[in-house]
Amino acid sequence: MFTTSGPHHVRRAIAVLLVGAVTMIGTVTVALLLGRNQVLASVTAGTAVSTSASLLRVTEPGPAGAWTSGSSTSSFASEPSGDEHFRIGSITKTFVATAILQLVDEGKVDLDAPVETYLPGVVPNGAEITVRQILNHTSGLYDYMKGEGWSTNRWRGEARFAGHLPDQLLHAAFEHRPYFAPGTDFRYSNTNYIVAGRLVEAVTGRTYSDVIEHRILGPLNLTGTSFPGADPTIPEPAIHATTTLEDGQRVDVTEQNVSLDWAAGEMVSTTRDLQAFFEALLGGDLISEESLVQMRTTVPMGMGFHYGLGLERFDLPCGGTLWGHGGQLLGYVTYAYRRDDGRSLTMLLASGDDDGFISFATATGAAYCLT
C-alpha cells in the first residue's frame, strides 16, 4: 500500500525534483537523439538492474506501445509478453470507490452522511465520520497495516498463507486511537477501505467483489482482473516476484493469502485491463459527471500529490495533470494513470526493493513531457 510519510515521502519528493530538472535540461537533447518510443523502451530496460521484470503500456494520442524487460518467472526462464497477471495492491481502492459512487448515483449512499448510517455500531465515532472522509483518507482512522505482522508489504514467512476476515482487520485498527479528529487532516490508512468494502456489502447485500464484478468487470469485459480471496496463487500467465530478506536470502513472494488486504488491496489485474478501467472511469462511462467531479475533488497529500475519492492526482513537472492510482504489495509495484486527452500509462515493476517511483517518474517524463 502507498503511504506519504517517512523515507517513502522523501524519495518521492527527491524524484519529482530530479525528474523535473532532467525534463527541463535534457528534453531537447534526448528528443533529438531518440524518438519517444525509444526513450520509453530504454526506461523499461533500465529497470532490469533493480527488478526481475517490468511491464509498460502507453496509449494514444501520441506514440503508443507496450514494452517489457526481465523474466516473468523467478527462475528467469521466460521473457514477459506484457499480458501477464499481477497483484495491483491499492489500485483496488479505485474500484471500490467507483462502486460506492455508483451507489451514490442511485441514491443509495450519501457521501456526506456518517458511516454510522450504513454500518451502525461498526466504526468507533462513526456518527462523526462521513463516507467522503473514508474515501479520501481524512477520517483519522488508524491504519491496521502499521501493526507488526499485519502488512502484505513485508515478508511474513509461513504466516503469509494465513486467512483473515474483514472484521478482524477492523478490530486490529480500532484497538488504536485515531490519528486525528475526522476531517481535520489527511493520512493514508488502509482501514478506510476495509470500512468502504463493508459499506458496499451492507448497502447491496452482496459481497463487495460480486458487486464490482457485476458493475465494473463484467460490463467492461475485464477478464484478466480478479479477486483472489483466500487463494494464494495468481492466475497464469503470471508475473512471479521475489524479495531479499535482511540476511540476504532471496525468497519467492508470488504466492500469499492477500485476504489481509481485502478491499484495500487484494485484486489481480493486467496492464491492458487497468488501462481500460481508467479509460472508462475517467471518460465518464462508469459514474455520473457529478460523481466524477466529486471523485476528482482532492485534498493535499504533500509534495505536490493530491488525493480524491479513491483517486490520486499527479502533477507532471512539465505541466499537466494525470489521474489514477498506485499500488504496492510485497514484490509488486504498479502505477496506472491517465491524462484527460486519453493518453494513459500503466507500469508494473516486480521484485524491486523500493516503491519504484523514480522509474515511474522517468517514464511519465518520457511519455508526457518529451515532444
Side-chain angles (χ1 to χ4, degrees), residues 158-191:
E158 289 304 308
R160 72 190 185 279
F161 296 115
H164 296 79
L165 297 174
D167 285 350
Q168 290 178 292
L169 310 181
L170 293 181
H171 178 75
F174 299 154
E175 287 184 324
H176 299 267
R177 293 174 57 85
Y179 294 121
F180 47 79
T184 62
D185 203 349
F186 170 91
R187 178 147 180 168
Y188 193 102
S189 172
N190 294 289
T191 303

Side-chain angles (χ1 to χ4, degrees), residues 232-264:
T233 65
I234 300 176
E236 295 291 346
I239 293 292
H240 293 244
T242 63
T243 194
T244 303
L245 305 184
E246 291 184 1
D247 62 3
Q249 180 186 2
R250 197 77 179 172
V251 293
D252 192 302
V253 298
T254 306
E255 295 189 356
Q256 59 173 305
N257 185 326
V258 291
S259 60
L260 183 58
D261 285 347
W262 200 57

Side-chain angles (χ1 to χ4, degrees), residues 151-236:
S151 174
T152 53
N153 270 351
R154 296 186 286 273
W155 175 249
R156 294 177 294 133
E158 289 304 308
R160 72 190 185 279
F161 296 115
H164 296 79
L165 297 174
D167 285 350
Q168 290 178 292
L169 310 181
L170 293 181
H171 178 75
F174 299 154
E175 287 184 324
H176 299 267
R177 293 174 57 85
Y179 294 121
F180 47 79
T184 62
D185 203 349
F186 170 91
R187 178 147 180 168
Y188 193 102
S189 172
N190 294 289
T191 303
N192 287 314
Y193 277 78
I194 304 303
V195 173
R198 289 278 278 105
L199 187 152
V200 169
E201 297 190 339
V203 171
T204 65
R206 304 174 65 176
T207 65
Y208 97 95
S209 56
D210 281 348
V211 171
I212 291 175
E213 286 173 352
H214 175 71
R215 290 172 171 265
I216 301 173
L217 305 190
L220 297 181
N221 196 31
L222 303 183
T223 57
T225 303
S226 60
F227 298 83
D231 185 348
T233 65
I234 300 176
E236 295 291 346

Side-chain angles (χ1 to χ4, degrees), residues 46-333:
T47 65
V49 176
S50 58
T51 67
S52 63
S54 65
L55 311 178
L56 176 63
R57 184 180 298 274
V58 179
T59 67
E60 298 176 338
W67 299 266
T68 66
S69 70
S71 172
S72 60
T73 65
S74 55
S75 63
F76 301 98
S78 176
E79 293 184 8
S81 67
D83 295 322
E84 289 85 358
H85 302 89
F86 51 86
R87 303 193 188 279
I88 64 172
S90 282
I91 300 178
T92 302
K93 293 179 173 69
T94 312
F95 286 87
V96 174
T98 300
I100 289 179
L101 285 165
Q102 289 179 336
L103 295 173
V104 170
D105 286 336
E106 296 166 9
K108 297 175 181 177
V109 173
D110 181 345
L111 284 174
D112 295 312
V115 293
E116 183 75 11
T117 303
Y118 310 102
L119 295 170
V122 173
V123 180
N125 198 33
E128 303 300 322
I129 300 172
T130 67
V131 176
R132 185 188 303 273
Q133 290 164 350
I134 290 293
L135 296 181
N136 69 6
H137 297 292
T138 60
S139 71
L141 293 176
Y142 179 85
D143 187 353
Y144 72 94
M145 285 198 182
K146 296 302 180 186
E148 185 176 353
W150 286 92
S151 174
T152 53
N153 270 351
R154 296 186 286 273
W155 175 249
R156 294 177 294 133
E158 289 304 308
R160 72 190 185 279
F161 296 115
H164 296 79
L165 297 174
D167 285 350
Q168 290 178 292
L169 310 181
L170 293 181
H171 178 75
F174 299 154
E175 287 184 324
H176 299 267
R177 293 174 57 85
Y179 294 121
F180 47 79
T184 62
D185 203 349
F186 170 91
R187 178 147 180 168
Y188 193 102
S189 172
N190 294 289
T191 303
N192 287 314
Y193 277 78
I194 304 303
V195 173
R198 289 278 278 105
L199 187 152
V200 169
E201 297 190 339
V203 171
T204 65
R206 304 174 65 176
T207 65
Y208 97 95
S209 56
D210 281 348
V211 171
I212 291 175
E213 286 173 352
H214 175 71
R215 290 172 171 265
I216 301 173
L217 305 190
L220 297 181
N221 196 31
L222 303 183
T223 57
T225 303
S226 60
F227 298 83
D231 185 348
T233 65
I234 300 176
E236 295 291 346
I239 293 292
H240 293 244
T242 63
T243 194
T244 303
L245 305 184
E246 291 184 1
D247 62 3
Q249 180 186 2
R250 197 77 179 172
V251 293
D252 192 302
V253 298
T254 306
E255 295 189 356
Q256 59 173 305
N257 185 326
V258 291
S259 60
L260 183 58
D261 285 347
W262 200 57
E266 74 164 302
M267 292 176 71
V268 167
S269 192
T270 67
T271 57
R272 194 182 303 275
D273 272 14
L274 289 177
Q275 179 267 316
F277 167 63
F278 280 102
E279 180 179 357
L281 172 62
L282 297 169
D285 295 335
L286 291 176
I287 57 177
S288 68
E289 182 178 349
E290 171 57 25
S291 284
L292 190 55
V293 169
Q294 296 299 320
M295 195 177 214
R296 289 166 54 132
T297 299
T298 61
V299 293
M301 295 176 71
M303 296 298 180
F305 290 85
H306 305 266
Y307 204 92
L309 306 183
L311 193 68
E312 276 190 349
R313 190 183 96 203
F314 174 65
D315 296 331
L316 292 163
C318 57
T321 297
L322 304 181
W323 295 94
H325 212 290
Q328 187 173 4
L329 192 153
L330 187 63
Y332 300 89
V333 175

